[in-house]
Amino acid sequence: MPPVASPLAYVPFVSVENMMRLVHHFGLEEMLVEMTDAIEADYRRWHLFEKSPRLASHSREGVIELMPTSDGEIYSFKYVNGHPSNTAKGFQTVAAFGMLAGVETGYPLMLTEMTLLTALRTAATSAMAARHLAPAGARTMAMIGNGAQAEFQALAMKAVVGITEVRLYDIDMSATRKAARNLGESGLRVIACSSAEEAIEGADIITTCTADKAYATILTDNMVGAGIHINAIGGDCPGKTELHKDILGRARTFVEFEPQTRIEGEIQQMGPDYPVIEFWRVLSGEEAGRTDKDQITLFDSVGFATEDFSALRYIYEKIQGTSFFQNIDMLADPDDPRDLFGMLTRAAA
């Protein structure tokens, strides 16, 4: 991973403005495809990564989390919140920033916004799982929950999996209208639905992405027929779920990092003996993905630090040779590494 050409004391910073410029320059769907491949490549070297459940600080209003990992050469972390009531205050439900650093020196390599980047990497992770677990020839996705991530999810499934139709539903019809409007020029057939039951009619893939921090039943058992792939991404902290537990009883369930998903995912409803498959095992060939056309597959995705690592690594490589970052004066750089005080006093002269 080549360093950005800048003085040692300066760290490349990718602002929200520059992240948007980067996406428009390279193209959203192209970046979603490339990020999907980057995330999958890191899943294929799963054993190299430090892995632990994220450090979460819960409150009545939401959660603030730190998500660190390292492959032994590069270290990354993401700071991210989840506050479902924020939209009523005019704030994002999720806001994030992250850093990439070199293990050899501990010096940061890049600081970046990760609100947009998290939406991209979450969609890319969903698409990565779906291309291995969804039924062959899947062309229709139901998107239950049409908030900030809905369009990214739909476009990733289009670019990576090949869906041609997305069926939208949200309890807030203004969110559905927003998503339908934003996807109007995407090349997808977009259908706004008045209920979750209507949305899943004919769907090959069902994605649930709701924000309420509570046990919820977005899908009941009788709604889910044979051969469906479910991409459950809204349940991502203790006490927050989207699927009736009977669906899990019928599904072949895949997770990112089992110790974290046992705490935060849909499987928190099940006992400790409920069988799950960590997704990296599918990529390594240790476990099969979908085993027959009538099987229900479930990707119980809560978001994991290696996916942020992959997204940060990908963006770091994309900004090379571009103007889509600015250098920030973040690190002290005294002429003599032992003379930090001298650097301070000389600055007053």
Side-chain angles (χ1 to χ4, degrees):
M1 198 182 293
V4 172
S6 63
L8 189 62
Y10 291 84
V11 176
F13 169 59
V14 183
S15 65
V16 174
E17 178 183 2
N18 273 323
M19 185 65 74
M20 292 191 293
R21 290 176 62 214
L22 189 74
V23 171
H24 285 294
H25 178 76
F26 289 106
L28 176 56
E29 290 191 31
E30 176 182 333
M31 288 186 65
L32 285 167
V33 170
E34 292 177 349
M35 197 175 297
T36 300
D37 292 339
I39 293 169
E40 181 166 318
D42 284 335
Y43 263 84
R44 291 181 182 275
R45 55 193 196 105
W46 183 258
H47 294 293
L48 295 179
F49 285 91
E50 294 178 350
K51 294 174 284 292
S52 64
R54 53 187 150 211
L55 179 62
S57 176
H58 292 277
S59 67
R60 183 177 59 186
E61 292 79 15
V63 63
I64 296 173
E65 300 168 333
L66 287 176
M67 301 173 66
T69 191
S70 172
D71 68 351
E73 296 183 2
I74 302 295
Y75 171 90
S76 75
F77 77 83
K78 182 173 77 174
Y79 168 101
V80 62
N81 78 300
H83 284 64
S85 64
N86 269 4
T87 51
K89 306 170 188 174
F91 299 146
Q92 291 283 302
T93 299
V94 174
F97 68 88
M99 180 175 286
L100 206 63
V103 169
E104 183 178 2
T105 63
Y107 269 46
L109 297 172
M110 181 185 71
L111 178 68
T112 180
E113 81 81 35
M114 287 196 76
T115 306
L116 279 166
L117 187 54
T118 293
L120 292 168
R121 80 90 161 119
T122 303
T125 301
S126 298
M128 173 193 68
R131 73 178 170 189
H132 292 278
L133 301 177
R139 292 295 177 265
T140 301
M141 179 176 80
M143 186 76 222
I144 312 298
N146 302 156
Q149 298 214 30
E151 298 91 338
F152 297 95
Q153 290 284 324
L155 291 173
M157 291 294 182
K158 172 180 179 280
V160 176
V161 180
I163 69 162
T164 58
E165 177 177 300
V166 59
R167 302 173 65 85
L168 303 171
Y169 172 70
D170 196 293
I171 57 172
D172 180 356
M173 284 303 295
S174 67
T176 299
R177 289 192 293 270
K178 176 271 301 180
R181 182 177 65 250
N182 287 341
L183 292 170
E185 303 297 323
S186 67
L188 288 166
R189 182 176 183 229
V190 180
I191 300 173
C193 301
S194 58
S195 68
E197 289 83 357
E198 181 186 352
I200 67 176
E201 288 179 10
D204 307 297
I205 299 169
I206 302 172
T207 297
T208 57
C209 185
T210 59
D212 191 19
K213 190 184 178 185
Y215 288 113
T217 303
I218 307 305
L219 295 181
T220 57
D221 186 40
N222 66 317
M223 294 168 67
V224 178
I228 295 290
H229 173 62
I230 303 171
N231 180 46
I233 64 175
D236 58 2
C237 66
K240 181 182 178 186
T241 62
E242 297 180 311
L243 309 184
H244 192 282
K245 63 186 298 184
D246 288 350
I247 297 173
L248 279 72
R250 298 164 56 208
R252 184 173 172 86
T253 300
F254 302 82
V255 300
E256 292 141 317
F257 180 56
E258 182 178 347
Q260 178 173 294
T261 311
R262 292 280 180 193
I263 298 168
E264 300 177 345
E266 298 298 325
I267 63 173
Q268 67 185 276
Q269 304 177 76
M270 313 302 280
D273 296 329
Y274 176 75
V276 299
I277 300 166
E278 289 190 334
F279 186 74
W280 69 269
R281 295 183 180 276
V282 176
L283 298 177
S284 71
E286 293 183 24
E287 291 279 356
R290 172 174 292 273
T291 57
D292 66 70
K293 64 182 180 63
D294 293 326
Q295 189 172 63
I296 297 169
T297 52
L298 167 62
F299 184 48
D300 187 2
S301 176
V302 297
F304 189 58
T306 59
E307 296 153 9
D308 299 312
F309 176 101
S310 304
L312 287 161
R313 176 176 65 84
Y314 171 76
I315 293 299
Y316 184 73
E317 293 171 354
K318 292 299 278 189
I319 66 174
Q320 305 301 313
T322 76
S323 62
F324 302 131
F325 66 93
Q326 61 198 87
N327 287 318
I328 57 174
D329 187 10
M330 185 174 174
L331 302 175
D333 187 30
D335 295 334
D336 179 350
R338 299 165 297 179
D339 192 15
L340 188 63
F341 183 84
M343 182 189 76
L344 173 64
T345 54
R346 286 190 294 274

